[in-house]
Amino acid sequence: MWSEPGRQVRWPGWTMAALFLGYGLGKAVFAAQGKLGFPGGPAVPAEEYERYARDMMDVATAQWLAASNGLLGAALFLATVAAAGRRIPRVLMLGALTLASAGVGAGMVVLIADGLVGFGVGWRWYHGLLGIAVLALLAAAFLSYVRATRRGTSPAPRRRWRVRA
């Protein structure tokens, strides 16, 4: 999978982009409905809505912000696999990937712990397994970008066939 220097394994980045788009879409649906939580997740009690609106912000606003984060995450991971993304300085991309990975990773650790141990809001065991899969994909996408953009690992130039007269 990682054997050729300079060759990027792209499927983890594409998969992460699709997951971020799904996250953003789910949050947009809940924002339009004025609901907290996520489709397929545990139900949020009514008193949590009141506390959230009082201590944080309007529920719909929070969900729209989360939806926009999903779009930004998708764009970030698309940039890791698209040729146009190679024009973005590596240091900037690695910084953005590190921040995104820290945020998503922390969320997945909570999801895994609650789903498999059961100390939080009510995620189920299959959510915990999903969290493990997302952490693995996140690591694979990050490492693929790092390895593909290391100095001195650019792919060999393509041969151009010429017809000699």
Side-chain angles (χ1 to χ4, degrees):
M1 180 169 165
W2 307 104
S3 59
E4 293 181 47
R7 176 143 168 79
Q8 183 177 16
V9 179
R10 297 180 192 279
W11 67 264
W14 285 109
T15 306
M16 283 303 299
L19 288 174
F20 268 105
L21 282 175
Y23 172 82
L25 180 61
K27 288 297 190 176
V29 167
F30 268 37
Q33 297 171 349
K35 294 171 64 176
L36 275 176
F38 190 78
V44 178
E47 61 271 5
E48 187 66 23
Y49 283 81
E50 295 168 13
R51 187 196 64 78
Y52 197 88
R54 183 184 65 244
D55 296 343
M56 301 291 282
M57 67 178 72
D58 176 61
V59 169
T61 303
Q63 293 289 53
W64 283 118
L65 288 172
S68 68
N69 281 340
L71 293 177
L72 286 172
L76 175 64
F77 278 94
L78 283 176
T80 66
V81 295
R86 295 296 169 96
R87 294 189 191 111
I88 300 170
R90 184 175 193 262
V91 173
L92 183 63
M93 282 293 291
L94 287 176
L97 282 170
T98 300
L99 286 174
S101 297
V104 172
M108 291 302 104
V109 167
V110 170
L111 183 75
I112 293 165
D114 187 19
L116 299 180
V117 178
F119 69 86
V121 298
W123 293 102
R124 309 290 297 215
W125 65 269
Y126 48 87
H127 294 119
L129 295 180
L130 177 65
I132 292 169
V134 171
L135 274 180
L137 276 169
L138 182 65
F142 190 94
L143 288 174
S144 178
Y145 178 79
V146 167
R147 291 179 186 202
T149 59
R150 267 191 308 212
R151 290 194 174 131
T153 59
S154 61
R158 296 174 80 184
R159 286 191 169 193
R160 305 213 183 240
W161 296 95
R162 295 185 192 169
V163 177
R164 294 183 186 212

